[in-house]
Amino acid sequence: MSRLKEIDPGDIISDLADYVDQYLIASANLEGPDNLFVPRCQVRGQLVELALKYYLAACEIYERGHDLNGLLRAAEAAGLAVRDYDRTHIVEELHKDYCTHPELGWSYFSRYPMPNRPTKVWITPGHQDVDAFVRRLMDQANAMKAGD
């Protein structure tokens, strides 16, 4: 017998909003010059994923998976307005190491160690840019919910 119950869409939206708030705080706490690329990428990738899922849930679209580019395409198809800078410098950049790096063929680099990782400077979008993008996304979702 399954212990799962039917999920209330209002609960999903509320839970996603709570998670986004917590990941915004975590992202801010990881800001700095130290060598924390992997946790920064993971937290900021998860933050953007949750924010996009929040927007989609506000549109009554419930997507699964971690593909930031795919989630962004679905959100844009549902009406999300995204600046080119946010698409290329936040979502696409995070997607490379959070999901799949197209040039290196890696999947989920920020979650799992990669053998023979090339030595280079790893940079993730800064918290201020990610924070501003997420807040714009959440504002659009909240405005859409208020219009219902």
Side-chain angles (χ1 to χ4, degrees), residues 46-142:
Q46 185 75 46
L47 169 58
V48 169
E49 176 185 335
L50 291 166
L52 288 166
K53 287 179 177 179
Y54 176 84
Y55 181 88
L56 290 166
C59 299
E60 299 182 358
I61 300 169
Y62 304 98
E63 292 284 339
R64 298 182 63 113
H66 310 293
D67 179 346
L68 300 182
N69 291 333
L71 290 168
L72 180 62
R73 282 191 300 274
E76 287 180 304
L80 178 67
V82 178
R83 300 178 333 169
D84 287 339
Y85 178 89
D86 294 337
R87 178 182 299 98
T88 58
H89 289 90
I90 295 174
V91 178
E92 290 176 5
E93 282 303 311
L94 282 171
H95 179 86
K96 288 179 184 177
D97 298 315
Y98 180 71
C99 294
T100 304
H101 198 295
E103 292 90 26
L104 301 175
W106 294 345
S107 295
Y108 305 110
F109 169 70
S110 67
R111 296 179 198 185
Y112 308 111
M114 296 293 150
N116 304 316
R117 179 177 75 180
T119 303
K120 69 179 221 175
V121 176
W122 296 95
I123 299 172
T124 186
H127 172 71
Q128 287 182 328
D129 286 345
V130 174
D131 180 89
F133 167 65
V134 166
R135 290 184 190 282
R136 283 191 295 276
L137 190 156
M138 300 293 282
D139 287 347
Q140 287 184 57
N142 291 333

Side-chain angles (χ1 to χ4, degrees), residues 4-15:
L4 295 176
K5 63 177 185 167
E6 192 65 33
I7 297 174
D8 179 349
D11 290 343
I12 292 171
I13 292 171
S14 176
D15 289 347

